[in-house]
Each structure stands twice: as structure tokens, then as C-alpha cells.
Amino acid sequence: MAVARRTSRDIRSDSRLIVVRALLAAGESTRAALAEDTGLSPATVSAVVGDLLGSGVAAEAGLLSGTVGRPTTGLRLNPDRGRVVGVYVEDRHFQATVFDAALRRLANVHVTAPAPVEAADDVIDRIARTLDTALAEAGASHEDVLGVGVLLPGGMQRPVKSALAPDAIWLHLDRLRDRLGLPVVVDNPLKAIAAAELWLGAGRRCASVVVANLGEGVGAGIVQDGAVVRGATGTAGEWGHSLLVFDGRACQCGRRGCAEAYVGVPGIRRTLAETAPGHPLLDVPLPGFAAALAAAAESGDPAAASAVERTAHYLGAALADLVAIVNPEVIALTGWAAAELGALVLPVAERRVRDDAPGDAAASLVIEPSHSSGMEGIAAIALERFMRDAGLVTTRVLPAL
Amino acid sequence: MAVARRTSRDIRSDSRLIVVRALLAAGESTRAALAEDTGLSPATVSAVVGDLLGSGVAAEAGLLSGTVGRPTTGLRLNPDRGRVVGVYVEDRHFQATVFDAALRRLANVHVTAPAPVEAADDVIDRIARTLDTALAEAGASHEDVLGVGVLLPGGMQRPVKSALAPDAIWLHLDRLRDRLGLPVVVDNPLKAIAAAELWLGAGRRCASVVVANLGEGVGAGIVQDGAVVRGATGTAGEWGHSLLVFDGRACQCGRRGCAEAYVGVPGIRRTLAETAPGHPLLDVPLPGFAAALAAAAESGDPAAASAVERTAHYLGAALADLVAIVNPEVIALTGWAAAELGALVLPVAERRVRDDAPGDAAASLVIEPSHSSGMEGIAAIALERFMRDAGLVTTRVLPAL
């Protein structure tokens, strides 16, 4: 990736994205309020609004009466400009969510296949059918769709190791595009959640936000100065595969000692197994393990409590590395830390972050649950891609595929 | 730090910085060539060049004859616009380098005090005198100075632990400014080297560069999309205090297991001490230790070779964390890796980076010695600050102090 050359078109493009995000946040606004909100000059806002009205991305919303003066023409994103569809594919799960062009959720369909879907053509077929069902639910047709965004866990982050076809679908994107007959973008779920934080979440008030996901897998999405950080090969934010213990536990990625091997759910189970071999909780399947561990710890099981405590220290130390290197204003947690185990783990983990982070780097750090969804994020990315195809946006770094 | 609101002034400011950097790289250029180099529109370049000529930052350089057509007016940064001074203060060392306003080095003075300088007033006095000497060497006067940039190792990165006053001088900036009667910026050396990479080094060809410093201390400076990453509290890039070994060796920062405790020079000596207690190299003072270890390893000392090998693995694993989280195109090394020990350590370390980095994140990573100096970087930062004070630049995130 060479240095992006910024042209006057790019600068206009930036202004358009800024105004689109401001409209999204405000719901309805006016040219004057947009200039106030964004800091862009009234002339720039007028020009940008003209572009957005001309392309149908924004629409007039009737007269708004303010507190003083004459009523002024209201502006909003134009929900009827079209539809954007987010698709999530993992293992046997196929989910499609239809949004209007103001990123409001219209319909959601989640289909679980009765058996693993392995052939690429079968995966593509299932995606197409799930998407059609969701469009029907939303009362929308193919022609309404501005873009489709596919959330693909893992697959693009490293060479495909799984035999499961969904992970490898990004190798067959041309066939997916042909089959759908629609513009398709593919992105990693954490990049998508980061995009959602940027457009709709903590990124609206902070320049620097890290989304940290704690589930079976562990990773981060980084927002800095108005963009999701992608890095040279699109893998920036692979915090789960930063080191926690040199030559430590084997990680599923093939390396030893990664943070994921300690704070991913299988890693937490391994922590329990190390200190309490034969503990009955070790028989609980992974999807229910974090909740079961939390319940056991709360009901006074000392081995469970010890595994929770140890996990809190691992997590705090791993988050402190993010603070050391990225130094964000906000870390937004998703996965188990925001759900099953967070209440037990976070107080200790937060103390450890503040103790371990360099100097006062974590002094005003906010650690909070992320309320952003990958589906909203991938819809935002698909909408941004549509604006690019429409010539409205030029400079943002776009998803890898 | 709230989200920066971008205004049309900021956009013009960005264009000015882009043109200044292009002029710096080109030496001499023309409006047409600048438009070509930067991707800015000819109209924008003309307006920006007008601003830069008006403020004296750029100057006309006579007629240049191209390969076709009429000769056109050449443009360059105006070296005579004034002088910029970089100052380095550490322990008993006081150094001042004078640059012209095209960032060419005019004079350098390095004074070593006979005894530790501890009182803030004494430090300030020595800075002032070193600066005056350097200005005299450069045939420049106080009135010529557009700005002074002070490189301050350590001090701003964490609470001051050292009793040495130079580390604490940033607490007395007002007094320093009063004494010098000049605009002063203070920045961390790694941020400054990163700025030098951005203005003059790898940042000219890549959007994402990390400078990694390996000395007694260890740290990184991160360049992303045309700016040095500073983070919420200005401490982004504290890679030396990211974790290598959970609950590992005590680090001088107070935490355990930091990368610095393994790949900083004292850490390397400790590695040798662990495997070869009583080894004669352990008596070599720190400043000469890396070179002595390299010589011993090359002459076949097995304990030295083993410490070098171990260090290479520590370094590779620690660099892989930077790749995982930041995913840069280039890692530019400075400190011992670029000097005494690099030839022995880097081949093994590079293999380890590529093995440990997630997926193909390091496949096209370039690891190279940094040719940038902190002095050039702090001069660039001081020049940028001057342009800000002159109303030419608005948006860049500036040094903390």
C-alpha cells in the first residue's frame, strides 16, 4: 500500500463522509446545524449537501422550526435510497439483516443448516437464499439493494486452516458476486464492529477507540482519527495473537503464548484444567462454559473463582499491551467480557490494566461494553462502498475484498 | 482528546503540509510537478504555493527548463526563512543542532558537563548556553530562530522516577521558554524519529511505518496515514512496555515481563547472566556491552552466542506483536539492532517475526535500519509548530508540550 495521495476530490469525499455520519447521528438536521456539528464551513456543507441530495443519499425532510427565526429546510439520510444487507456466515449459521439507507434495521433472518455446509457452491447458494428470504421479509427486491456486506470470521485473518467452506468463501468471491448479481464487500467482524463504533458508537466522541472481542477467538478492531486501522495486509488489530507468555501455551494459530490462548474461552477452560484437573466444569461445552464458570465462581466454588481471578490478570495484562502500543481513549469490550464473565473479571482486570500500562497512559482510559454490532458495521461499510461506487467517496481505506 | 472537527481551514492546512513535504523531498520543484507528485489539483497547488510564498516558507528558485515547453518558475523551501534548532538533553549531555528552514543541518554542538546537572535552573542554563554556542557556530542570531525542539528521553513517557533533572525538565517548560525567549516544543525521541521517517524517510513511500528503538530503553514510534500516532495521552508506541513474559523479569518501569527487560541492553546482559553466571562480559559497562557481546559471539564464545540467539528470539517475538497489532509495511530499526548486534541478531529475529506474526501479516514486511535522526525529526516538528503559529497549519496532532 503506497502513501495515499490526497486530492481535492478526496478532500470533498472526506467532507461528504463527515456530513453523512453527522446526519446519521442527528436523524434530522439542517445545513446550519451540520456546519455547527462538523466544523465544516457553511459553503462546504451546502456543496456537500447538494451532492448528497443529487445522488439521493440525503433527502429534504420538510420545514423544521427552530427556536428563532424562520423555519429552515430539514435534511436527513434518505432511507428510501435503497437497501443494504449484512450477511454473517459461520459454520452452519447463515444470517442476513436488511437495513434501509439510513442504516435502520428492517428485517433479520437466521437459518441454521441441519448439517455442515462445506462445498463453496452450497455456501454461496445458502447465502443467496438467506438474503432472498430477508429481502422478502423487508418487502424489498433485489433492485433495491445498494450493496451487500459479508462478515467472515477468521477467514481473512490467516491462511484458511479449517476445512469448513464458509471460512474459505472469500476465495470464491467472484462466484458469490455472480450469483448475487450485487456489489459485495467482505470484512472481518472486528473491523466491522470497529466501523460501527466509528459511525455510531464511541467513535462519535473519541478519536481513538479499540474494540476488544473476547470469545472463543480474541481480537481487536482499532479506530484512529476517523478511520478503521487496517495495516499493510488488513490484519491490524490481531491483538489475540500478540504475546502474553513467551513460549507459553500452544495457540490454535500455531504459535505459542498468544493472548487468545489465555483469554479466549478455550484458554479459560485450560486455566481451570491446569489448577483443577478433573473439575466437572471441564465437561461443559465451550458455548456454555463462560456462563457456567461465572455461576460456579459466584456460588463459591474456589477452583472456579481462582480460574476467574487468573483470567482477570491475564486479560488486564493483555489489555495493558493495547494501551502501551495504541493508547486509546476507550476500550469497548464485546464477547464474554461484555456478557457472561465480565462482572466478575473486569474489576480485577481494570486494576491490572491501570497498574501495568506505562505511566499514566491508562489514567483516563474508559473500559466499557461495546453496544455496536458487526451487522451494523458491515452495513456501514457496504453503504460507504456504495458511495464510493457512486463517486461520492474516494479516500477511505476500504475492506480488503 | 475529542474527535477533531475538520474544517475547510484544516483541509487547506493538510494541503500545505503535503506541499511542504513534497518540496522538502524534491529540493526544487514546480507547481506542475508538485501537482503531479502530490495528486492535489493544480488550482489547490497554486493556492497553497501562494500561501507558502506569502509567508516566506517557500521561495522562487529562478527559471527551470524542463524537457518540453517554456521554462517554468522553480520553487523550493526557503532556507533563509529562519533557523530551527534541535536540542537533546540526557544525563550530562547537552547537544544543539541548527537547521535552516529547509531542514538542512548547519551546525552541531555537543557539550558534556563535567558532573551531573541536577537543578532545573542549571539544566535550563546549560540548554541556553549550548543553543547559543550552536547558533554562533551557524552564524545565526536569536532573532533568526523560528522554533526550538527539545528531545527528551523518557521523561514524558511515565512519571519521573529519576532524580536527574534533565528527565524532569518538561515540568519546568515555562521557565525554559522564558529563559530562551523562543517558541519551544518538547517531544519524545521516538516520536521525533517517527516524524523524521514521515517527513524524510520510509514514510515518503509507505503509509504505515514503525520505528523500533533498541538501546538501554526500548520503544517504538508509529506513523500511520501521514501522521505520527500519539494516542490519548501521547504515549502510543510504548512497545518496550508491552508484555513478553507474563509475570516475567522485573522491568525498570515497575511492571514484570516487559519486552524492554529482555531486548533492552540491560535485559540482554541479564540473559547472559542467567545462562552464564560469572561470565567476564558481565563486567563490561552497559554502553559497551552490546559491541563486546557481538565480538565475543563472533569469536566463538558459546555463552555469548547463546545469549545472542536467545535475544534474537525475544526480539522476533516482540516485533511480531507490533506486526499483529499495527501491521506496518516497514519496521525501521534504530539503536543496537542497527549497530552493534544487528548483523548477528536480525537474521534469526526476522525468521521469528515471520513465523510468529498472524497469517501472512509479515509476508511483505520490510525490516530495515532507520536512517532518520531524532534531531531531524524534532526540527521537522518545530518547523511544523512554526507553521501552525503562522496560521499555515491547523490540524496535525502536535507534541504534548
Side-chain angles (χ1 to χ4, degrees):
Chain A
M1 179 173 60
V3 179
R5 300 196 318 168
R6 289 176 56 77
T7 69
S8 43
R9 279 183 61 225
D10 298 334
I11 289 164
R12 185 70 163 263
S13 148
D14 281 358
S15 303
R16 291 191 192 111
L17 269 178
I18 289 165
V19 169
V20 164
R21 288 182 193 153
L23 279 173
L24 191 62
E28 284 194 8
S29 191
T30 63
R31 286 167 181 80
L34 286 168
E36 176 72 19
D37 285 352
T38 61
L40 295 168
S41 72
T44 300
V45 167
S46 280
V48 164
V49 164
D51 298 339
L52 298 176
L53 290 172
S55 62
V57 168
E60 294 191 337
L63 292 179
L64 297 180
S65 24
T67 48
V68 291
R70 291 177 307 167
T72 53
T73 308
L75 296 164
R76 55 182 167 82
L77 288 191
N78 177 10
D80 302 327
R81 180 62 183 84
R83 301 292 176 254
V84 180
V85 188
V87 172
Y88 180 82
V89 187
E90 184 174 34
D91 195 7
R92 293 193 284 156
H93 301 282
F94 293 81
Q95 186 180 352
T97 306
V98 180
F99 296 84
D100 66 26
L103 295 185
R104 293 181 307 198
R105 195 177 287 247
L106 299 180
N108 180 60
V109 169
H110 181 172
V111 178
T112 306
V117 185
E118 296 193 343
D121 280 338
D122 293 345
V123 174
I124 288 169
D125 189 57
R126 283 223 165 244
I127 289 174
R129 286 191 284 135
T130 311
L131 189 146
D132 285 344
T133 309
L135 285 176
E137 285 288 323
S141 74
H142 251 242
E143 288 64 44
D144 299 327
V145 179
L146 306 178
V148 177
V150 180
L151 283 174
L152 203 61
M156 293 157 58
Q157 299 273 356
R158 58 191 70 88
V160 177
K161 287 174 181 166
S162 159
L164 287 176
D167 275 8
I169 197 66
W170 64 278
L171 298 171
H172 309 287
L173 261 191
D174 286 347
R175 283 153 73 188
L176 179 62
R177 289 197 171 104
D178 283 352
R179 169 66 195 268
L180 297 181
L182 292 169
V184 175
V185 291
V186 178
D187 214 339
N188 169 275
L190 273 165
K191 299 281 195 301
I193 298 179
E197 286 289 340
L198 170 64
W199 282 62
L200 305 153
R204 299 208 56 80
R205 56 187 160 85
C206 304
S208 171
V209 179
V210 172
V211 178
N213 174 59
L214 298 155
E216 288 196 30
V218 171
I222 302 170
V223 170
Q224 219 149 41
D225 294 326
V228 175
V229 176
R230 295 188 173 275
T233 63
T235 55
E238 272 284 15
W239 163 68
H241 301 284
S242 71
L243 205 59
L244 193 71
V245 182
F246 185 82
D247 285 342
R249 292 180 186 169
C251 181
Q252 55 86 19
C253 76
R255 187 199 197 188
R256 302 185 72 87
C258 295
E260 181 174 293
Y262 295 81
V263 299
V265 177
I268 301 173
R269 190 157 70 174
R270 191 152 160 197
T271 299
L272 179 66
E274 283 175 3
T275 52
H279 194 286
L281 276 174
L282 297 172
D283 298 327
V284 177
L286 279 181
F289 177 77
L293 181 70
E298 281 188 307
S299 68
D301 178 328
S306 156
V308 163
E309 171 92 7
R310 188 106 190 122
T311 299
H313 282 280
Y314 289 143
L315 176 61
L319 289 174
D321 278 9
L322 278 177
V323 175
I325 293 175
V326 180
N327 190 207
E329 290 159 83
V330 171
I331 295 180
L333 296 167
T334 178
W336 65 250
E340 299 93 347
L341 272 172
L344 292 177
V345 167
L346 286 184
V348 175
E350 279 210 40
R351 274 201 302 280
R352 177 108 193 195
V353 174
R354 292 184 210 282
D355 287 349
D356 280 8
D360 61 356
S364 55
L365 172 71
V366 173
I367 302 179
E368 63 183 28
S370 170
H371 301 295
S372 297
S373 86
M375 277 295 198
E376 280 175 336
I378 197 76
I381 290 168
L383 185 62
E384 192 170 325
R385 175 61 164 263
F386 162 74
M387 291 195 289
R388 189 173 86 148
D389 293 345
L392 291 168
V393 167
T394 58
T395 53
R396 293 292 113 176
V397 182
L398 282 157
L401 298 171
Chain B
M1 180 171 59
V3 179
R5 300 196 318 170
R6 289 179 55 77
T7 68
S8 42
R9 277 183 64 223
D10 298 333
I11 288 164
R12 185 70 164 263
S13 150
D14 281 359
S15 305
R16 290 190 192 114
L17 269 178
I18 289 165
V19 169
V20 164
R21 288 183 192 150
L23 280 173
L24 192 63
E28 283 195 8
S29 191
T30 63
R31 287 170 180 78
L34 286 168
E36 177 71 21
D37 285 353
T38 61
L40 294 168
S41 73
T44 299
V45 168
S46 280
V48 164
V49 165
D51 297 339
L52 297 177
L53 290 173
S55 62
V57 168
E60 295 191 338
L63 292 179
L64 297 179
S65 24
T67 49
V68 292
R70 291 177 306 167
T72 52
T73 307
L75 296 164
R76 54 183 168 81
L77 289 190
N78 178 10
D80 303 326
R81 179 63 182 84
R83 301 293 176 254
V84 180
V85 187
V87 172
Y88 180 82
V89 186
E90 184 175 34
D91 196 3
R92 293 192 285 155
H93 300 281
F94 293 81
Q95 186 180 352
T97 306
V98 180
F99 297 83
D100 67 24
L103 294 185
R104 294 180 306 197
R105 196 177 286 246
L106 299 181
N108 181 59
V109 169
H110 180 172
V111 178
T112 307
V117 184
E118 297 194 341
D121 279 337
D122 293 345
V123 174
I124 288 170
D125 189 56
R126 285 221 164 245
I127 289 175
R129 285 191 284 136
T130 311
L131 190 146
D132 285 344
T133 309
L135 286 176
E137 285 289 323
S141 73
H142 252 245
E143 288 63 45
D144 299 327
V145 179
L146 305 177
V148 177
V150 180
L151 284 174
L152 204 61
M156 293 157 58
Q157 299 274 356
R158 57 191 73 89
V160 177
K161 287 175 180 165
S162 159
L164 287 177
D167 276 9
I169 197 66
W170 64 277
L171 299 171
H172 309 288
L173 261 191
D174 285 348
R175 283 154 72 188
L176 179 62
R177 290 196 171 105
D178 283 351
R179 168 66 194 268
L180 297 181
L182 293 168
V184 175
V185 291
V186 178
D187 213 340
N188 172 276
L190 274 165
K191 300 281 193 303
I193 298 179
E197 287 290 340
L198 170 65
W199 281 62
L200 303 153
R204 301 206 56 81
R205 57 188 159 83
C206 304
S208 170
V209 179
V210 172
V211 178
N213 174 59
L214 298 155
E216 289 195 29
V218 171
I222 303 170
V223 170
Q224 218 150 41
D225 294 326
V228 175
V229 176
R230 294 187 175 275
T233 63
T235 56
E238 272 282 18
W239 163 67
H241 301 285
S242 72
L243 206 58
L244 193 72
V245 182
F246 185 82
D247 284 344
R249 293 180 186 169
C251 181
Q252 55 84 19
C253 76
R255 188 197 195 188
R256 303 185 73 86
C258 296
E260 180 174 293
Y262 296 82
V263 298
V265 177
I268 302 174
R269 189 157 72 172
R270 191 155 161 193
T271 299
L272 179 67
E274 283 176 2
T275 53
H279 194 287
L281 277 174
L282 297 172
D283 298 327
V284 176
L286 279 182
F289 178 77
L293 180 69
E298 281 188 309
S299 68
D301 177 328
S306 155
V308 164
E309 170 91 9
R310 189 103 190 123
T311 299
H313 282 280
Y314 289 143
L315 176 61
L319 289 174
D321 278 9
L322 278 177
V323 174
I325 293 176
V326 179
N327 191 206
E329 290 158 82
V330 171
I331 295 180
L333 296 168
T334 178
W336 64 251
E340 299 93 347
L341 272 172
L344 293 176
V345 167
L346 286 183
V348 175
E350 278 211 41
R351 277 202 300 282
R352 177 106 193 198
V353 174
R354 292 184 210 283
D355 287 349
D356 279 9
D360 61 357
S364 55
L365 172 70
V366 173
I367 302 179
E368 64 184 26
S370 171
H371 301 294
S372 297
S373 85
M375 277 294 197
E376 280 174 338
I378 198 76
I381 290 169
L383 186 62
E384 191 170 327
R385 175 61 165 265
F386 162 73
M387 291 195 290
R388 190 175 85 148
D389 292 345
L392 291 167
V393 167
T394 57
T395 53
R396 294 291 112 172
V397 182
L398 283 158
L401 297 171

